[in-house]
Amino acid sequence: MKARVAVGAAVGWLVVALVWGVQTSVGAGLQGESMPLASALRPALVQSLPWIPVTLAIIYLTVRFPLAWPPKARHIFVHALAVLAVAYVANVLVVLGFWFLQRSFGGFGTLFVNAGRWALIRLHFALLIYVAIAAATQWVLYHRAVRDRELRLARIEGQLARARLQALNAQIRPHFLFNTLHAMGQLWRAGRSDDADAMLDQLGRLFHKVQSSTTETEISLADELDMVRDYLAIEQTRFRDRMKATVRADAAALECRVPPLILQPLVENAVRHGISAASTTGRLDVEATVHNGRLIVSVTDDGPGMAAPTRSAGTGTGLRNTRERLDQLYGGEARFETGEAAAGGARVVIELPARRGTNAGTVDG
């Protein structure tokens, strides 16, 4: 960065010298005098090149003593003295440059006197240059600080979003575990200890998958549907012939990425409020398709429906958690709808961008 600033300052003042020399040469020609460009460039270079180190000094002082609002009195004092110093130093170098062109040296006393005289005569010129360079440097410092602050805020927001998502992922595990253990308790109280033991074994295998999957932000839909089928197998133990469940997904849908356990609360709600509430055999369908670059997953049951007064009360944790996780991960790109199924019962639909992953095969059960 320092080398870039030095090169920029050198190029800038070389351009000034070139423009100055061309203007001097053209101006002399318009007045009927002859002045070759080379002759005009020499004094222009002598008066411009000394400002290269002076410019770097001004940039350093502005970085070291910034003029941010509200300005500090000490910084203003430093820059006021610096204006006089750089004006004098620049003119010392200019006088030396002209003496170099004349192949002469007038002595240090004459050098310091002439430089001081020219510094006073051209103090306004030095002041304008100083203010322009300091203002440009301060502008760069301000925008760099703003950019760094925005980057820090973006990193903090990203960390907060990840922490929020991890909290939501973690919340679903005890919620799911509590409901399943409650179902096993019902089996034991009903004298179905063998079924309860089988459910406990299935729960252990499923919970191992759950622990692994919820450490990831997204998994393949194929893996998600595998866990859905494992959960339905647990519920099948409880309901026996009172539940018929199918899980179907297009091959293209299986490659898509979804948040882990995004379907489990929806399937659990369908079992609890749909299958359990019906006195006859209930049906539960999970379907996934891809259409126009969107993954569409639905969970449908043929129970009493969303508006039924007999629908058992719940805390709403599962649906609320699902909606929050989708908002956290996809924002306005996700759609989450609950409502009545066309043939009766409840239907929940999730629609996400169809982000591809690895193909894990076909799920159809």
Side-chain angles (χ1 to χ4, degrees):
M1 181 61 71
K2 294 179 179 179
R4 188 187 307 175
V5 172
V7 170
V11 170
W13 283 107
L14 285 173
V15 170
V16 169
L18 178 61
V19 173
W20 194 342
V22 171
Q23 182 181 6
T24 302
S25 178
V26 172
L30 293 176
Q31 294 178 358
E33 302 175 3
S34 177
M35 180 175 288
L37 180 59
S39 300
L41 275 177
R42 280 194 291 271
L45 287 170
V46 167
Q47 296 185 73
S48 299
L49 294 185
W51 286 97
I52 295 175
V54 170
T55 297
L56 297 178
I58 296 172
I59 293 173
Y60 170 79
L61 289 172
T62 306
V63 173
R64 179 68 179 80
F65 304 98
L67 295 170
W69 188 261
K72 297 181 180 180
R74 183 168 66 93
H75 291 190
I76 295 176
F77 179 73
V78 168
H79 287 288
L81 291 180
V83 171
L84 300 176
V86 300
Y88 185 78
V89 171
N91 281 281
V92 166
L93 297 176
V94 169
V95 173
L96 286 174
F98 278 113
W99 284 358
F100 177 78
L101 291 179
Q102 297 168 2
R103 301 293 191 272
S104 65
F105 181 74
F108 288 106
T110 304
L111 171 64
F112 295 144
V113 170
N114 288 347
R117 182 171 64 249
W118 283 109
L120 289 175
I121 293 173
R122 298 181 176 179
L123 183 60
H124 63 288
F125 180 70
L127 178 62
L128 288 175
I129 293 176
Y130 193 103
V131 170
I133 295 172
T137 304
Q138 191 63 51
W139 182 86
V140 171
L141 293 175
Y142 170 77
H143 282 274
R144 184 181 296 172
V146 170
R147 183 190 61 189
D148 291 343
R149 185 164 58 248
E150 290 175 347
L151 289 175
R152 285 196 301 271
L153 288 174
R155 283 195 294 268
I156 291 172
E157 289 175 357
Q159 292 168 355
L160 289 175
R162 286 192 294 273
R164 171 71 172 157
L165 187 59
Q166 289 169 358
L168 291 170
N169 282 347
Q171 182 184 9
I172 204 73
R173 285 177 287 190
H175 178 261
F176 155 69
L177 180 61
F178 171 80
N179 288 339
T180 306
L181 290 175
H182 178 70
M184 288 193 305
Q186 290 179 323
L187 290 178
W188 272 313
R189 286 191 295 271
R192 296 170 56 187
S193 58
D194 291 342
D195 289 340
D197 290 342
M199 183 183 287
L200 182 60
D201 292 338
Q202 291 169 326
L203 176 62
R205 290 191 295 269
L206 175 57
F207 205 65
H208 177 71
K209 293 182 181 179
V210 170
Q211 280 295 113
S212 301
S213 69
T214 50
T215 60
E216 303 293 332
T217 303
E218 290 181 324
I219 61 174
S220 70
L221 180 64
D223 289 340
E224 176 72 6
L225 292 181
D226 268 345
M227 287 189 286
V228 168
R229 296 176 71 193
D230 288 341
Y231 173 75
L232 288 173
I234 292 175
E235 294 293 354
Q236 194 75 56
T237 302
R238 179 160 67 108
F239 287 100
R240 292 180 175 173
D241 296 333
R242 284 189 52 219
M243 183 179 77
K244 294 188 180 298
T246 60
V247 180
R248 291 187 296 269
D250 295 344
L254 294 174
E255 302 174 1
C256 297
R257 310 295 289 180
V258 297
L261 287 184
I262 199 68
L263 297 180
Q264 190 276 332
L266 311 183
V267 175
E268 183 179 336
N269 272 3
V271 171
R272 182 180 180 187
H273 302 299
I275 306 300
S276 296
S279 57
T280 59
T281 300
R283 183 170 185 83
L284 189 153
D285 295 307
V286 180
E287 295 183 352
T289 60
V290 174
H291 181 68
N292 291 334
R294 305 279 292 175
L295 172 66
I296 303 170
V297 186
S298 64
V299 178
T300 308
D301 67 74
D302 61 356
M306 289 283 186
T310 57
R311 200 169 178 83
S312 57
T315 63
T317 299
L319 294 180
R320 183 174 63 252
N321 183 290
T322 301
R323 191 183 301 276
E324 289 181 4
R325 292 172 71 204
L326 291 175
D327 288 342
Q328 194 76 29
L329 275 171
Y330 304 99
E333 292 186 289
R335 181 172 69 93
F336 180 67
E337 292 183 357
T338 60
E340 302 295 322
R347 187 169 188 261
V348 180
V349 178
I350 292 176
E351 186 175 327
L352 307 173
R355 297 174 182 170
R356 293 291 193 270
T358 57
N359 193 345
T362 300
V363 174
D364 192 353

